[in-house]
Amino acid sequence: MVALESTLISHGLPRPDNLRVARALEEEIRREGAVPATVGVVEGVARVGLGPEELELLASGEVPKLSARDLPAAAAKGVSGATTVAATAHLAALCGIKLFATGGLGGVHRGARESWDVSADLAALSRTPVAVVCSGVKSILDVPATLEQLETLGVPVVGFRSRAFAGFYLSDSGCTLAWSVEDEREAAALIRALPGLGLGCGVVISNPLPPEEQLDPGLHERVLRSGLEELARRGVSGKEVTPFLLEHFRERTGGESLRANERLVLRNGRLAARIARRLCEER
């Protein structure tokens, strides 16, 4: 099985693309011989595996984003919500799911020395035995600081056939990893080794876009700079930072960032499914 976060549907992509991509991602995983399990909260009940109507509910854009710490309150109040990486990993682990595919992790925000804005995704991975296949952390974040934080927390980070840490929209974030795995068999062996070594953490598997599919690096730099300036001018902070900057990228790139996001999400889903199959075959 491969877990999928629902925040990608509710807050990461615009309507109607969000629902289309969510369905396409599940179908890609099925084609690779695995079972997709999109995670969310429906009327206060945590669901690992959503039906068509539940996917449509979360794609409406009218539900809150729920991190792991929000789950008890959502359960008590009976509300519906979309789960972040932290909440999705937690709920997937409760069900024994080892693989989780997403676009990009949360991480250390730029200016975190003043704001202390660090995603709960990182701490969650330090205590949750789930492997996350992703295209690095979102490139709007402080990537070197995020990798330093993951190292401090003891979370293994490996590249898939590359030691260049993926830069989300970009193939290379400019950061080099100490380790890489060469195929799905090695990735599965790494995941299988964690509990036997007494490590209760997860692992990040960086799966970069091929250079020919990435966003133009020069365009990326210009749009990021203008987005950060607009962010400061409007005083956007907290949970609103990432959706604001992703929408800024979509507008300023004429939709190219959205298309890159879709490509990387589907690639990560396919890779996670192949690793999941390998884990089952060699159990």
Side-chain angles (χ1 to χ4, degrees):
M1 295 186 75
V2 176
L4 303 168
E5 64 162 314
S6 48
T7 295
L8 174 72
I9 307 168
S10 64
H11 295 80
L13 296 168
R15 288 182 284 175
D17 297 290
N18 56 350
L19 187 57
R20 175 181 59 79
V21 172
R23 289 169 172 162
L25 178 55
E26 289 195 342
E27 188 54 37
E28 288 293 312
I29 290 169
R30 292 189 185 98
R31 284 197 189 104
E32 293 290 346
V35 178
T38 302
V39 179
V41 175
V42 179
E43 296 181 351
V45 179
R47 302 287 181 90
V48 179
L50 299 178
E53 292 183 0
E54 293 162 335
L55 274 179
E56 290 177 12
L57 169 66
L58 299 188
S60 70
E62 298 172 358
V63 296
K65 184 190 297 187
L66 302 177
S67 188
R69 71 168 191 169
D70 302 311
L71 295 175
K77 290 182 171 293
V79 302
S80 299
T83 51
T84 64
V85 168
T88 301
H90 173 74
L91 293 171
L94 286 179
C95 297
I97 298 175
K98 302 295 185 184
L99 265 297
F100 171 17
T102 189
L105 289 180
V108 179
H109 283 253
R110 295 167 189 256
R113 288 183 179 179
E114 289 75 36
S115 67
W116 293 88
D117 195 348
V118 178
S119 172
D121 296 354
L122 307 186
L125 289 174
S126 72
R127 58 178 182 265
T128 310
V130 172
V132 181
V133 178
C134 60
S135 296
V137 300
K138 296 180 178 70
S139 52
I140 57 180
L141 303 173
D142 187 331
V143 179
T146 299
L147 285 173
E148 288 288 347
Q149 182 72 0
L150 285 168
E151 180 180 356
T152 299
L153 292 168
V155 178
V157 182
V158 300
F160 187 76
R161 296 176 178 160
S162 173
R163 287 181 58 198
F165 187 58
F168 194 55
Y169 295 134
L170 304 177
S171 300
D172 187 350
S173 67
C175 297
T176 303
L177 299 172
W179 299 94
S180 65
V181 292
E182 295 310 310
D183 53 29
E184 292 83 357
R185 181 194 60 78
E186 268 196 358
L190 186 155
I191 296 166
R192 204 178 301 111
L194 286 169
L197 294 168
L199 296 172
C201 62
V203 58
V204 176
I205 301 175
S206 162
N207 185 33
L209 276 172
E212 64 273 15
E213 294 185 19
Q214 69 176 341
L215 196 63
D216 176 76
L219 174 62
H220 179 276
E221 182 60 31
R222 292 192 299 274
V223 174
L224 177 59
R225 190 182 310 118
S226 66
L228 292 173
E229 290 170 354
E230 187 68 11
L231 193 75
R233 189 181 70 80
R234 296 194 186 188
V236 178
S237 62
K239 290 183 177 182
E240 302 307 315
V241 169
T242 298
F244 177 87
L245 286 175
L246 292 178
E247 177 60 19
H248 180 82
F249 261 87
R250 187 186 69 82
E251 292 178 354
R252 295 299 181 92
T253 64
E256 280 303 312
S257 65
L258 178 63
R259 289 184 280 277
N261 199 351
E262 181 175 347
R263 288 193 295 272
L264 65 88
V265 166
L266 295 179
R267 291 183 79 256
N268 295 341
R270 289 192 292 269
L271 176 57
R274 293 196 298 271
I275 297 172
R277 282 185 56 199
R278 179 67 71 169
L279 271 173
C280 290
E281 289 167 358
E282 298 183 0
R283 182 176 296 170

